Amino acid sequence: MSELGRGTINDRMALLSHNQELPNIFDAMARPNARSILYRLIEAGQLTHKALLVPLIERGLEPGDDAVLFVLHSQLGATETDLAGELGIGSEALGTRIERLIERDLIARKAIGPDLMPGIALTERGERIREILTANWEQLEGALLGELGKKERKALGKTLERFVELLLAP
């Protein structure tokens, strides 16, 4: 990844440095060893999360709006019931989010599917913003994996997958 790409991520991250809505876990987190891999993994996760929020905040969107855009893109539209199920949120919370995204011309109520069911689909503007969010994700992933070979990427992915499964186990 070029230095320009890294600078772009870091420069845009500065926009979030004064955002009071995002908690900083590092102040309250015990630091047994700041050089430990676990500490660096947590730090990288927090900073990546903030970096993924930058394009949303720049466009006046809220965390979670991106999930709606991604689902509607992958399914070429959805009914409100399907969307609520896919996102795991209640119909009231989803209704508020849908109305806000309609007002911002990111989604629209349309007939979808072969049966022309009443549903919701991305607008052209919504698709453009989804592409920006996808590009931001890919840029961050490239910054993480850019120096790793194919085997190292695969090993890292498997290691992280096993770690998540371990943490989710009862």
Side-chain angles (χ1 to χ4, degrees), residues 1 5-6 9 137-148:
M1 166 147 260
R6 287 189 183 147
I9 292 171
W137 183 283
E138 290 170 353
Q139 182 182 21
L140 287 166
E141 190 154 307
L144 172 66
L145 301 175
E147 298 175 11
L148 300 178

Side-chain angles (χ1 to χ4, degrees), residues 67-149:
V68 173
L69 302 179
F70 290 130
V71 169
L72 292 176
H73 172 78
S74 69
Q75 297 182 7
L76 300 177
T79 65
E80 287 191 42
T81 304
D82 292 339
L83 190 56
E86 184 76 25
L87 298 173
I89 61 176
S91 59
E92 186 175 319
L94 179 62
T96 303
R97 186 175 301 267
I98 287 172
E99 291 308 318
R100 192 170 36 74
L101 294 174
I102 287 173
E103 288 173 13
R104 296 188 190 295
D105 190 34
L106 299 176
I107 63 175
R109 295 189 189 280
K110 294 183 177 180
I112 59 164
D115 298 331
L116 298 177
M117 298 280 299
I120 304 163
L122 289 175
T123 62
E124 286 183 34
R125 182 170 186 260
E127 183 60 37
R128 284 193 310 272
I129 289 178
R130 187 209 55 85
E131 289 172 0
I132 291 167
L133 299 174
T134 299
N136 187 49
W137 183 283
E138 290 170 353
Q139 182 182 21
L140 287 166
E141 190 154 307
L144 172 66
L145 301 175
E147 298 175 11
L148 300 178

Side-chain angles (χ1 to χ4, degrees), residues 3-95:
E3 289 302 316
L4 176 63
R6 287 189 183 147
T8 303
I9 292 171
N10 291 334
D11 292 344
R12 294 172 73 206
M13 284 289 295
L15 293 172
L16 294 177
S17 64
H18 301 292
N19 188 335
Q20 298 300 321
E21 295 177 24
L22 300 174
N24 185 350
I25 65 161
F26 303 118
D27 295 335
M29 188 172 94
R31 293 186 188 188
N33 184 349
R35 292 182 302 193
S36 78
I37 292 175
L38 182 58
Y39 179 84
R40 288 186 178 184
L41 181 63
I42 292 167
E43 182 179 27
Q46 282 287 310
L47 293 172
T48 301
H49 181 253
K50 284 184 175 183
L52 288 170
L53 291 176
V54 169
L56 287 171
I57 293 170
E58 287 176 343
R59 287 157 184 82
L61 301 175
E62 296 178 7
D65 290 348
D66 51 343
V68 173
L69 302 179
F70 290 130
V71 169
L72 292 176
H73 172 78
S74 69
Q75 297 182 7
L76 300 177
T79 65
E80 287 191 42
T81 304
D82 292 339
L83 190 56
E86 184 76 25
L87 298 173
I89 61 176
S91 59
E92 186 175 319
L94 179 62

